[in-house]
């Protein structure tokens, strides 16, 4: 291993401690992590403590207001609303996380290859990205959802395939800078392959861009699945997510049954804001330029 490479990896190994310290100074980002953790506990561990039947209907328990028996009331088919909030949150969080990670992985690979290759390869690959960005992701989702009936895995794949464009541009910009660094040029001069240069130097040193992009992609994916489900084109009953709960409770809100729309709407807002706060905190923590 060369001196430059050894020094670079030494810096990477020492970086997490100051990163955590800078991140901890951002109270809003820390609050975002706490909030996301609480929602995961609520959605994944909550059903173990508050067991409800979210599969079968109970027409004797429809549209009940919040009470000791049903803490957030029931919906139009007798489902306990608090249990449904947990159940729908599990779907929203799983889809959001998985789709955000998938979009970031695809965007990272595409952007790193385009930026490293340069020339006509970069031009062609980025024109594909430009064409994709010109088409609203929500429009593509609506068309695909109208053609097919996606389950949770299908929704993850669809969201991932329409959301990778922005991460690819970010990673490409980072790659254009990194490929001119001495340690990359030295590797190429001694016969190192392009794949090794990308895997050993470009991607590890783009980790800040990748992590921050992934955080924002998760927030965007949660919003997108809420949009699609709100329009009735998301996961199909008896499965649901927070967007589907909003859609089902919209008309009931005019009748004063606020518990059918306020909790899922508030959950979407809080989770998306939390992930955005985490992304802002990570971006500030990784940005060490100008720090004395």
């Amino acid at each position: 291993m060369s001196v430059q490479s050894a020094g670079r990896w030494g810096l990477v190994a020492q970086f997490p401690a100051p990163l955590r310290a800078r991140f901890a100074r951002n109270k809003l980002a820390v609050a975002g992590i706490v909030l996301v953790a609480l929602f995961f506990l609520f959605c994944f561990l909550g059903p173990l403590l508050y067991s409800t039947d979210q599969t079968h209907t109970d027409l004797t328990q429809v549209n009940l207001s919040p009470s000791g028996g049903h803490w957030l009331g029931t919906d139009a088919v007798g489902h306990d609303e608090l249990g449904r909030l947990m159940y729908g949150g599990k779907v929203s969080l799983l889809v959001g996380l998985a789709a955000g990670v998938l979009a970031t992985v695809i965007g990272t690979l595409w952007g790193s290859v385009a930026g490293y290759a340069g020339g006509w390869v970069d031009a062609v690959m980025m024109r594909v990205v430009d064409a994709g960005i010109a088409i609203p992701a929500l429009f593509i989702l609506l068309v695909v959802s109208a053609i097919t009936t996606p389950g949770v895995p299908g929704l993850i794949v669809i969201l991932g395939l329409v959301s990778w464009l922005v991460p690819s541009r970010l990673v490409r910009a980072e790659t254009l800078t990194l490929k001119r660094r001495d340690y990359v040029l030295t590797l190429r001069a001694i016969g190192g392959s392009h794949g090794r240069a990308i895997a050993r130097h470009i991607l590890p040193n783009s980790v800040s861009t990748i992590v921050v992009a992934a955080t924002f992609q998760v927030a965007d994916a949660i919003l997108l699945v809420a949009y699609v489900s709100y329009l009735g084109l998301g996961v199909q009953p008896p499965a649901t997510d927070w967007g589907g709960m909003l859609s089902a409770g919209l008309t009931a809100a005019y009748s004063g049954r606020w518990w059918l729309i306020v909790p899922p709407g508030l959950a979407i807002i809080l989770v998306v804001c939390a992930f955005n706060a985490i992304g802002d905190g990570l971006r500030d923590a990784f940005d060490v330029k100008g720090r004395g």
Side-chain angles (χ1 to χ4, degrees):
M1 179 181 290
S2 67
V3 174
Q4 294 93 333
S5 179
R8 187 69 180 181
W9 285 107
L11 287 175
V12 172
Q14 298 171 12
F15 192 68
L19 170 64
R20 290 194 300 269
R22 288 194 296 270
F23 184 85
R25 288 197 290 268
N26 189 323
K27 303 304 181 185
L28 191 60
V30 173
I33 285 185
V34 172
L35 190 58
V36 168
L38 290 176
F39 267 105
F40 268 93
L41 290 174
F42 172 76
C43 295
F44 289 89
L45 295 183
L48 300 178
L49 303 175
Y50 189 82
S51 180
T52 60
D53 184 358
Q54 297 297 321
T55 303
H56 303 94
T57 61
D58 186 355
L59 299 182
T60 65
Q61 300 289 316
V62 299
N63 296 326
L64 297 179
S65 59
S67 63
H70 301 282
W71 292 3
L72 283 181
T74 62
D75 63 12
V77 293
H79 290 143
D80 182 273
E81 191 69 4
L82 179 58
R84 201 146 187 83
L85 192 67
M86 298 175 185
Y87 184 72
K90 187 184 300 184
V91 174
S92 292
L93 291 174
L94 279 176
V95 171
L97 277 173
V101 170
L102 177 60
T104 304
V105 169
I106 296 173
T108 296
L109 295 176
W110 189 277
S112 60
V113 171
Y116 186 83
W120 67 268
V121 175
D122 180 35
V124 171
M125 293 179 73
M126 296 317 294
R127 294 298 77 75
V128 173
V129 172
D130 292 339
I133 290 178
I135 305 174
L138 183 58
F139 173 76
I140 298 175
L141 283 172
L142 292 176
V143 171
V144 174
S145 298
I147 296 173
T148 183
T149 304
V152 171
L155 201 54
I156 291 172
V157 172
I158 294 170
L159 285 171
L161 291 178
V162 301
S163 304
W164 61 271
L165 303 169
V166 173
S168 71
R169 295 181 68 91
L170 297 174
V171 175
R172 170 187 176 267
E174 190 75 11
T175 303
L176 288 174
T177 301
L178 291 172
K179 74 176 185 177
R180 298 184 178 92
R181 299 289 176 87
D182 290 341
Y183 45 86
V184 177
L185 296 176
T186 300
L187 176 65
R188 295 294 302 129
I190 62 176
S193 65
H194 297 301
R196 183 179 177 84
I198 293 175
R200 291 294 301 275
H201 293 294
I202 300 298
L203 292 182
N205 289 286
S206 302
V207 65
S208 60
T209 300
I210 295 169
V211 170
V212 174
T215 308
F216 288 118
Q217 284 304 308
V218 171
D220 290 344
I222 292 174
L223 277 179
L224 281 174
V225 71
Y227 293 154
V228 174
S229 297
Y230 179 79
L231 296 174
L233 299 174
V235 293
Q236 299 302 305
T240 190
D241 58 73
W242 287 335
M245 292 177 66
L246 277 177
S247 178
L250 182 61
T251 56
Y254 294 106
S255 303
R257 294 192 287 275
W258 57 268
W259 58 88
L260 297 181
I261 193 169
V262 172
L266 190 60
I268 294 172
I269 293 172
L270 289 176
V271 168
V272 170
C273 288
F275 273 109
N276 284 330
I278 294 171
D280 287 335
L282 287 171
R283 181 179 57 199
D284 294 342
F286 277 115
D287 183 13
V288 295
K289 295 179 182 179
R291 296 180 186 272

